[in-house]
Amino acid sequence: QVQLVESGGGLVQPGGSLRLSCAASGSIFSIYAMGWYRQVPGKQRELVATLTTGGRTNYAESVKGRFTVSRDNPKNLVSLQIDSLKPEDTAVYYCNADISTGWGKRSDYWGQGTQVTVSS
């Protein structure tokens, strides 16, 4: 079975930094993309940043220039470097991966979520 394990969330002051990490494991044939989403109570989960195996990135406009997504393909790891944090960045951050486990078997997988709180 495929699972994603996250780490790195916490309480940070405005202007501070965090680095979130996510590791994918299990019966993985191929990973096409990995990335991060976030969600606050009462709102829909939204894309933060994604990265394909080929290196193509996609960022939410609100995080461009402050967040950086990176991936270690051989280790099936994806990280999110978060700089210049703002209170509006407060959310639960979820790791996501587009994974194939075999022929005709491709779907999204999610981590458990990690809380990021930005406050003075």
Side-chain angles (χ1 to χ4, degrees), residues 49-63:
T50 60
L51 177 64
T52 68
T53 300
R56 184 169 62 184
T57 59
N58 184 29
Y59 291 95
E61 292 185 0
S62 61
V63 308

Side-chain angles (χ1 to χ4, degrees), residues 34-87:
M34 299 186 74
W36 297 89
Y37 291 70
R38 67 186 181 187
Q39 187 172 27
V40 300
K43 297 186 67 177
Q44 188 175 356
R45 189 174 299 183
E46 65 176 357
L47 180 147
V48 176
T50 60
L51 177 64
T52 68
T53 300
R56 184 169 62 184
T57 59
N58 184 29
Y59 291 95
E61 292 185 0
S62 61
V63 308
K64 288 182 179 178
R66 300 187 299 117
F67 290 22
T68 304
V69 64
S70 61
R71 180 178 168 185
D72 184 343
N73 290 327
K75 298 181 179 179
N76 295 331
L77 298 174
V78 65
S79 298
L80 185 68
Q81 178 66 41
I82 309 176
D83 298 318
S84 302
L85 278 161
K86 304 175 181 180

Side-chain angles (χ1 to χ4, degrees), residues 95-110:
C95 179
N96 171 262
D98 179 4
I99 295 175
S100 172
T101 57
W103 178 255
K105 302 177 181 178
R106 179 177 175 179
S107 62
D108 281 346
Y109 294 85
W110 294 91

